[in-house]
Amino acid sequence: MTELPMSEFLVAPSILSADFARLGEDVARVAHAGADWIHVDVMDGHFVPNITIGAPVVKSLRPVSKLPLDVHLMIENPERYVEDFAKAGADFLTIHIEAMKSPSETEALLRRIRHLGVKPGITLRPVTPVEQLFPFLSLVDLVLVMTVNPGFGGQKFMADQISKISALRNELRRIGHGALIQVDGGVSPETAVLLGDADVLVAGSAVFGAPDVREAIRNLKTARSVAKPVAQ
Ligand code: DX5
Ligand code: ZN
């Protein structure tokens, strides 16, 4: 199944830039302001040099909003934790290809995530060639292009990663699969106009750091109308 690009981007605010002392209120605030998904960055201090949150926080956030909880696992040994996140109420679970030991383990984990009733996603560090994801695209509902090195919010957008988005769009068309393409890192209304081949934008500082959260989300969504797809 191939899908036509949507007229607006879906926007997934990253709670990494929220106030962790008021996390529930911040999630409710962006949900009320038009967010489509809630992006949850899970970091273990090993796969990336930062530590954030785990499945108990996802469980606590589950009743706060009906929006899909989009969990980005920046952790080693993700196979040890997917069941916890599924039970906690994650809707999407995205794993890093660099955290996997072999293609067969990657394939098995993506199948297991789906079997747990969660939509599987796959992603890569900026340094990893996009072709490494191609063998797994038919197994995922979401493919994430990182436009910063994973680990921290508020970093500068890496424009040299944009070609990966059109490469993924072309490959998804070629295999006739309708997975969503997501972009994460340094996304703002200014950089969003360069992301015409994407479907879902993650934004931390551009949403939570904005004076008007509703306007920030709206500006990200409508950037789709000026963003030109380059994939053919
Ligand atoms: C980085 C995380 C991002 C981060 C994005 O490792 O995956 O989701 O929160 O933050 P901004 O939008 O501020 O670059
Ligand atoms: Zn993320």
Side-chain angles (χ1 to χ4, degrees), residues 166-230:
S166 41
L168 285 166
R169 176 61 68 204
N170 283 331
E171 181 63 10
L172 286 168
R173 280 205 189 115
R174 193 186 71 76
I175 66 172
H177 184 59
L180 295 169
I181 301 177
Q182 185 179 52
V183 181
D184 181 8
V187 174
S188 66
E190 291 72 41
T191 54
V193 298
L194 305 170
L195 307 175
D197 289 310
D199 302 297
V200 189
L201 305 183
V202 175
S205 36
V207 170
F208 286 101
D212 183 334
V213 165
R214 178 175 292 275
E215 190 184 301
I217 293 173
R218 183 104 297 272
N219 289 341
L220 287 166
K221 281 173 177 270
T222 55
R224 187 76 162 96
S225 59
V226 274
K228 291 189 184 44
V230 293

Side-chain angles (χ1 to χ4, degrees), residues 14 16 39-43 72 74 144 146 182 184-185 202:
S14 163
L16 193 56
H39 184 83
V40 181
D41 287 304
V42 176
M43 306 185 187
H72 177 189
M74 286 163 273
L144 166 58
M146 290 301 301
Q182 185 179 52
D184 181 8
V202 175

Side-chain angles (χ1 to χ4, degrees), residues 13-41:
S14 163
I15 61 166
L16 193 56
S17 296
D19 180 349
F20 275 77
R22 297 188 172 80
L23 195 49
E25 286 163 50
D26 267 4
V27 166
R29 188 160 66 97
V30 291
H32 187 68
D36 296 287
W37 301 357
I38 302 297
H39 184 83
V40 181
D41 287 304

